[in-house]
Amino acid sequence: MKKILAFLVMALLAMPLAASAWTPDGDVTVIVAYKAGSGTDTGARLLASQAEKYVGKTLIINNLPGGDGKIGWTELVNSKPDGRTIGFINLPTFTTLAVQPGSTFAVSDVVPVCNQLSETGVVVVRANSPWKSLKELVDACKAKGNLRCSTNGVEASNHTAAQLLATSAGFDYKAIPYGGTADQLLALRQGEVHFSCAKVADVAALCSGDKPELRILGVFNTARLPEYPDVPTLGELGYYKEWYGSARALVLPKGTPQEIVDFYVEAFRKTMQDPACIEAHQKAGMSLDFKDNKQLAELIAAQEIFCREGSSCFFRTAGRNIAALLPALSPERMEKAFSRLQSMAESSIDCILSMGISETANDARQIPALYEHAHQACASAYYDGHGKLYRFSASPARHTA
């Protein structure tokens, strides 16, 4: 018997040790491309705190705001793909920026992990606003034509929402871009603007309690939201009839080994199935919408196609309209614009010139103000979820970029 046991021990020692499953060997940095207190940051901190027991390490939020998300996402894609850095992206803003000429990152620079939230868009005003309904706000916009709307950045998700409302309701407004949703809503709360479009989770806390700061006038959905049964959809009033909102998802840097990806997919799957996590999100006014890495990859791919098609049309339309502006540009306007033009991506201008006004390209390059008009014109073209062009405005005064 002793010989048999000795033989078994020797056999086990001789066998190669099975490779253990990957786990992080230290704290994990979670990059959030928006400032602390923003909607993305709030959701990220909530999820990270719930996920630590499944990840097995501390998840440290690193806020890198600026450039509508460009700074944080550039840092994310350039991080070492060792599983120690993970990050949140916002759709469609991430894909919108990724397909722009001269972008510092591409969609292919990230590896999908999972989706956390799918947030419905809403129209909001201050709680003491004179407009008690969405129709009253729209009527005021039509009457005045220059009411100010704060956005989370040029071409960002909330700017697109404002365009959908304005175009479908038939009014003009002035879009004022801020560095993110937190600053956008702060501007509204301080009375710098008249209204705003955001996501329901971003404004939930500001619309509740004994002294709410904001009031929701309408939702971008095909049906009323259960948590706000008295708030109509835009479609009920004859405006935009489809759902619009954004998704918030987790990704890893390109080149991350599959075993690391698999680890995080399962860790966050377990986290978002945990009753405590579900309850915490519900209390925060957030509805979890878990999609695994394959489902998220499909969502990102669809968003990329949509944004590329939209970007191409932006440039073609901008070029045609900019050509008509050339005779109207004054020397004073050109001089004022010159300092702003140095930072613009040359590839964007090349694209605009070649697509829209190639016949005037040589003369156009001698007019610096053309570049500013090109940038603002492109920022004023927006699409709905089906890729239809709603409106193009070449007037810098109408939409502040």
Side-chain angles (χ1 to χ4, degrees), residues 92-138:
T93 305
F94 175 78
T95 47
T96 299
L97 297 176
V99 303
Q100 290 181 351
S103 176
T104 54
F105 54 86
V107 171
S108 59
D109 289 333
V110 297
V111 179
V113 174
C114 68
N115 189 69
Q116 177 198 12
L117 305 168
S118 293
E119 295 291 340
T120 300
V122 293
V123 183
V124 292
V125 295
R126 294 178 69 187
N128 62 356
S129 168
W131 307 299
K132 307 301 182 183
S133 70
L134 184 57
K135 186 180 184 304
E136 290 181 1
L137 173 63
V138 169

Side-chain angles (χ1 to χ4, degrees), residues 177-358:
Y178 289 82
T181 303
D183 288 339
Q184 164 197 349
L185 294 177
L186 179 61
L188 177 61
R189 292 155 60 194
Q190 293 179 341
E192 297 175 19
V193 297
H194 299 98
F195 70 101
S196 192
C197 294
K199 265 73 72 177
V200 64
D202 299 329
V203 302
L206 299 172
C207 296
S208 60
D210 296 333
K211 296 181 179 180
E213 294 185 64
L214 302 180
R215 179 168 61 246
I216 301 176
L217 298 184
V219 298
F220 288 82
N221 201 18
T222 56
R224 297 192 180 195
L225 299 179
E227 56 268 44
Y228 299 102
D230 297 329
V231 179
T233 68
L234 272 65
E236 289 179 47
L237 301 176
Y239 311 142
Y240 187 67
K241 300 181 182 300
E242 305 299 327
W243 179 90
Y244 179 78
S246 68
R248 294 170 184 168
L250 281 159
V251 296
L252 288 159
K254 178 181 178 181
T256 300
Q258 189 60 45
E259 62 176 348
I260 297 178
V261 177
D262 293 341
F263 168 82
Y264 280 113
V265 172
E266 290 308 309
F268 283 104
R269 185 197 305 274
K270 293 176 181 177
T271 301
M272 285 187 249
Q273 291 176 344
D274 190 316
C277 181
I278 296 172
E279 182 180 0
H281 278 76
Q282 289 175 341
K283 288 182 178 180
M286 301 178 182
S287 300
L288 286 171
D289 182 24
F290 177 82
K291 293 182 177 67
D292 63 21
N293 56 324
K294 294 181 180 178
Q295 293 169 313
L296 177 57
E298 292 176 355
L299 176 60
I300 294 175
Q303 289 287 313
E304 181 181 17
I305 292 172
F306 163 71
C307 291
R308 286 192 182 281
E309 291 176 349
S311 178
S312 176
C313 190
F314 293 162
F315 291 132
R316 288 196 300 271
T317 308
R320 290 194 298 270
N321 285 271
I322 291 164
L325 292 174
L326 293 176
L329 300 179
S330 66
E332 292 78 11
R333 180 66 173 169
M334 296 177 194
E335 183 68 24
K336 183 178 180 181
F338 184 76
S339 61
R340 292 183 58 195
L341 306 176
Q342 307 306 313
S343 61
M344 294 190 65
E346 189 67 19
S347 55
S348 296
I349 303 306
D350 288 339
C351 184
I352 293 170
L353 293 175
S354 64
M355 286 183 170
I357 51 174
S358 56

Side-chain angles (χ1 to χ4, degrees), residues 171-183:
F171 66 80
D172 293 326
Y173 73 104
K174 181 176 288 187
I176 312 295
Y178 289 82
T181 303
D183 288 339

